[in-house]
């Protein structure tokens, strides 16, 4: 797990925090998917084209280099990027899970509010050895998933909705992911 404070530049952080969202109940989640491949936008739900292109331009090389550092066997599997905005209700809890194999590099950047609960990592699906990466606005948390090894969850702190940008490097070559991880498909 790699943690970076003040990850987004001021303009990108500000523009992401200006986006309006649908209301979510205190135990609900709303995910806005935005997908880009190279300079081609494949899908936008709430990030405008200019901002999505800018995010990709500003952080893509960083993300690729981080993937190369964390999991070099997966670097050639990259196909496209997702920039998803996730709004979770104040009491929403996402269960302990391992990311899907199509996610080569998983990242979350904490946008809003000033204080909430960060990402929680564990040694097992049962929640052994809980470690919380503290919530701090514009803090980024990145990792490269490994089957049955990168257990994590997230939840609201009960006080307000939680808004995060999830930035993933993705692949369509799932079979090759298992090979890179030394696991059976």
């Amino acid at each position: 797990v790699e943690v970076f404070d003040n990850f987004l530049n001021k303009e990108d952080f500000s523009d992401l925090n200006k986006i309006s969202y649908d209301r979510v109940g205190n135990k609900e989640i709303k995910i806005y998917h935005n997908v880009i491949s190279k300079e081609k936008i494949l899908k936008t739900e709430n990030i405008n084209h200019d901002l999505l292109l800018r995010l990709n331009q500003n952080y893509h090389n960083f993300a690729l280099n981080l993937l190369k550092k964390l999991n070099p066997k997966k670097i050639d599997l990259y196909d496209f990027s997702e920039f998803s905005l996730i709004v979770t209700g104040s009491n929403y809890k996402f269960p302990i899970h391992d990311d899907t194999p199509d996610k080569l590099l998983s990242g979350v950047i904490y946008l809003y509010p000033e204080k909430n609960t960060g990402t929680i990592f564990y040694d097992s699906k049962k929640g052994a050895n809980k470690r919380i990466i503290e919530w701090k606005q514009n803090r980024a948390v990145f990792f490269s998933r490994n089957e049955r090894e990168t257990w994590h969850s997230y939840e609201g702190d009960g006080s307000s909705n939680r808004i995060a940008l999830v930035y993933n490097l993705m692949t369509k070559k799932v079979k090759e992911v298992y090979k890179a991880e030394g696991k059976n498909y």
Side-chain angles (χ1 to χ4, degrees), residues 8-24:
L8 299 167
N9 68 42
K10 282 186 170 121
E11 183 185 15
D12 295 339
F13 181 75
S14 174
D15 286 353
L16 285 164
N17 274 301
K18 289 177 189 165
I19 294 172
S20 58
Y21 304 94
D22 294 336
R23 250 177 64 77
V24 298

Side-chain angles (χ1 to χ4, degrees), residues 17-167:
N17 274 301
K18 289 177 189 165
I19 294 172
S20 58
Y21 304 94
D22 294 336
R23 250 177 64 77
V24 298
N26 71 343
K27 290 189 176 182
E28 295 178 334
I29 184 171
K30 174 76 177 157
I31 302 171
Y32 298 89
H33 296 280
N34 303 278
V35 182
I36 189 166
S37 177
K38 295 184 177 64
E39 297 298 312
K40 185 173 192 273
I41 293 173
L42 304 176
K43 180 179 188 175
T44 59
E45 284 193 354
N46 70 338
I47 297 179
N48 71 47
H49 281 65
D50 290 343
L51 179 53
L52 186 56
L53 286 168
R54 196 170 79 221
L55 290 171
N56 191 60
Q57 182 181 342
N58 289 345
Y59 309 104
H60 183 70
N61 284 340
F62 173 88
L64 281 177
N65 286 330
L66 188 56
L67 176 61
K68 196 181 289 184
K69 174 186 171 187
L70 295 175
N71 214 325
K73 291 179 181 172
K74 292 185 179 179
I75 195 73
D76 293 330
L77 303 179
Y78 171 78
D79 287 315
F80 61 97
S81 299
E82 287 183 346
F83 290 91
S84 297
L85 285 160
I86 300 183
V87 182
T88 50
S90 57
N91 292 307
Y92 181 84
K93 289 186 181 204
F94 200 92
I96 297 173
H97 65 288
D98 203 8
D99 277 352
T100 54
D102 58 341
K103 292 181 183 178
L104 302 173
L105 182 72
S106 299
V108 60
I109 300 100
Y110 307 142
L111 297 177
Y112 181 86
E114 199 172 313
K115 291 189 182 341
N116 213 298
T117 306
T119 309
I120 309 160
F121 288 90
Y122 310 88
D123 288 344
S124 72
K125 189 174 175 81
K126 292 190 186 327
N129 195 20
K130 178 179 178 177
R131 298 171 307 284
I132 300 175
I133 305 297
E134 187 183 337
W135 180 280
K136 182 179 173 192
Q137 282 184 298
N138 204 9
R139 172 173 280 168
V141 180
F142 283 96
F143 64 95
S144 182
R145 60 95 55 201
N146 273 306
E147 185 75 7
R148 295 185 298 281
E149 291 176 26
T150 46
W151 300 107
H152 61 286
S153 68
Y154 58 91
E155 60 190 50
D157 67 357
S159 67
S160 63
N161 287 357
R162 183 182 185 275
I163 301 173
L165 173 67
V166 171
Y167 176 23

